[in-house]
Amino acid sequence: YDEGQTAAFSKESPLPFYKKDVVSTCQTCHMQREPLQTKDYGAKDGQFASHRWVGANTVIPQVYHYDEQAKRVVQFLQANVFNVDIFGLQTGEPEAEGASPDNLIAPLGTAPFNLGAGQRVTLSVVIQNKGIAHSFVPEQRDMYESWVDFTVKDSSGKVIAESGEVKPGGELDPAAHSFTNRLINKSGAINDLHQVWDNRVVAYNNTIQSGRSQLVRYCFTMPASGPVTVTAAVRYRRFDQHFIDFGMSMPLGQHYVQPVVDMVAQTRTMTVGTNPATPPVSVDNPDWMRWNNYGIGLLDAQQYAAAVYAFERVAKMRPDYADAQTNIGLTYIQWEKYDEALPY
């Protein structure tokens, strides 16, 4: 509830990066109004508030064979919750270049670029939580499993690089960028079965707060010839696989296969040689917002110089957008450069 109050959806906080036109409550999203099928004295204008309380639980409908509920949950998870933007490209080893904007080609699609055979490519993927009034994933975070599946395929469709694959036994790639946290017990080990009585510290919390963005970088090598297709998808299943196998081991005694939902994905194609500019598609944010979300991701990652650079680009593109100046000032304050922050 606190997260909802500080999100743009409540219109009661100065903290969000973006503003909403109307107030949304928990019921606005989770009890959406539907056409009335039978008589109900609580109906208004032929509609009533759905008591399905559709959210993100994909397992209960599967266990009890609630097919209609399962369909509604998938629709809910795919209803414009996230924006995924394969935003920028850098060549060379990322260790040498870091987050420097010097050789950053961005936003992708707006300008042509060249790639060489065998060249190392780093792509910056920006994940924006734009449609949820709370963090993703919410509490209890260690029990959920949502992640970015990043794949690179050659011209024949063969996967030549992947981060975030699901292993044959159902376990998630341990190196996947996962929206979760890790709880540590008194022995310094991970509490992998939600043993809350044994928690000592949160090692990290990788959730995306409402209205904010995360930046994930992926590096791969261009093949000798032909195009490659890169895809970044946010995938979701209700429980951490290790936990659900434990929880269902008594009735089943085997690996429990959960539904996996692809919430959103973006694909780009690039080739050895010249890559021309491409027209935007309907799901793309405008270029100023792409830079803004990139800057938000950099700010939350404490990459302050690059964040200032991104917000300065926003200010040049949108002189009327006062928040661009505010965001530069906020970055300098977090950077503890207070004199630099003052003009903003």
Side-chain angles (χ1 to χ4, degrees):
Y1 187 82
D2 289 347
E3 290 179 354
Q5 285 297 100
T6 56
F9 292 80
S10 74
K11 296 179 72 70
E12 292 183 0
S13 171
L15 299 177
F17 282 95
Y18 296 107
K19 298 176 176 65
K20 299 292 184 182
D21 295 330
V22 296
V23 174
S24 295
T25 66
C26 305
Q27 292 88 335
T28 304
C29 289
H30 294 284
M31 299 185 73
Q32 296 180 17
R33 304 196 73 81
E34 298 182 354
L36 185 65
Q37 302 296 329
T38 58
K39 188 175 182 179
D40 191 308
Y41 291 106
K44 297 177 181 178
D45 301 322
Q47 293 186 324
F48 75 109
S50 171
H51 281 61
R52 289 183 177 276
W53 196 258
V54 174
N57 196 326
T58 54
V59 170
I60 288 295
Q62 176 173 276
V63 170
Y64 292 102
H65 307 292
Y66 296 152
D67 295 338
E68 180 64 22
Q69 183 77 0
K71 184 180 74 173
R72 298 289 191 96
V73 170
V74 172
Q75 292 172 346
F76 186 79
L77 289 170
Q78 294 176 338
N80 210 25
V81 174
F82 288 112
N83 180 271
V84 173
D85 184 5
I86 303 176
F87 172 79
L89 179 149
Q90 291 170 286
T91 57
E93 291 298 331
E95 293 79 11
E97 302 297 341
S100 169
D102 296 340
N103 69 338
L104 177 66
I105 300 164
L108 282 181
T110 60
F113 58 90
N114 291 292
L115 294 175
Q119 193 169 38
R120 292 292 282 170
V121 173
T122 300
L123 290 179
S124 294
V125 178
V126 179
I127 314 292
Q128 178 194 11
N129 176 359
K130 69 174 188 175
I132 312 177
H134 52 74
S135 61
F136 183 88
V137 292
E139 297 284 5
Q140 301 289 330
R141 294 184 174 109
D142 59 308
M143 298 174 71
Y144 288 81
E145 196 155 70
S146 183
W147 68 97
V148 181
D149 184 22
F150 180 85
T151 57
V152 184
K153 297 181 179 180
D154 64 16
S155 56
S156 68
K158 177 184 177 183
V159 176
I160 58 177
E162 184 173 11
S163 170
E165 71 270 25
V166 175
K167 306 292 185 180
E171 293 286 340
L172 176 63
D173 171 11
H177 184 90
S178 180
F179 307 108
T180 187
N181 65 6
R182 287 292 181 262
L183 307 175
I184 305 300
N185 60 31
K186 61 185 178 182
S187 300
I190 292 176
N191 270 355
D192 57 351
L193 296 177
H194 196 66
Q195 307 98 317
V196 293
W197 57 89
D198 203 21
N199 288 345
R200 289 299 180 271
V201 68
V202 178
Y204 71 87
N205 181 354
N206 204 40
T207 54
I208 311 181
Q209 290 296 325
S210 178
R212 301 181 87 95
S213 299
Q214 275 187 8
L215 171 63
V216 199
R217 295 190 179 95
Y218 296 97
C219 193
F220 65 95
T221 301
M222 285 295 293
S225 62
V228 297
T229 301
V230 295
T231 300
V234 175
R235 311 194 79 193
Y236 171 86
R237 56 188 177 188
R238 175 57 185 89
F239 288 102
D240 172 271
Q241 190 62 49
H242 178 69
F243 179 83
I244 195 66
D245 282 347
F246 162 77
M248 300 297 282
S249 62
M250 287 286 269
L252 295 178
Q254 61 187 16
H255 165 61
Y256 184 79
V257 180
Q258 302 178 75
V260 176
V261 180
D262 286 347
M263 298 179 66
V264 68
Q266 186 184 61
T267 297
R268 290 191 178 273
T269 301
M270 50 195 66
T271 190
V272 173
T274 301
N275 292 262
T278 56
V281 296
S282 59
V283 295
D284 284 346
N285 287 321
D287 285 351
W288 72 266
M289 187 178 289
R290 296 178 69 186
W291 276 109
N292 204 48
N293 290 335
Y294 179 62
I296 293 167
L298 290 165
L299 174 60
D300 283 348
Q302 299 180 343
Q303 297 177 20
Y304 299 124
V308 168
Y309 174 81
F311 291 137
E312 286 175 342
R313 293 296 298 266
V314 178
K316 290 178 181 178
M317 299 173 76
R318 284 283 309 274
D320 62 316
Y321 185 60
D323 281 8
Q325 308 292 334
T326 303
N327 292 343
I328 296 172
L330 288 172
T331 304
Y332 277 126
I333 288 172
Q334 290 197 29
W335 202 356
E336 298 184 4
K337 293 191 173 186
Y338 303 112
D339 290 340
E340 288 87 342
L342 189 58
Y344 297 98

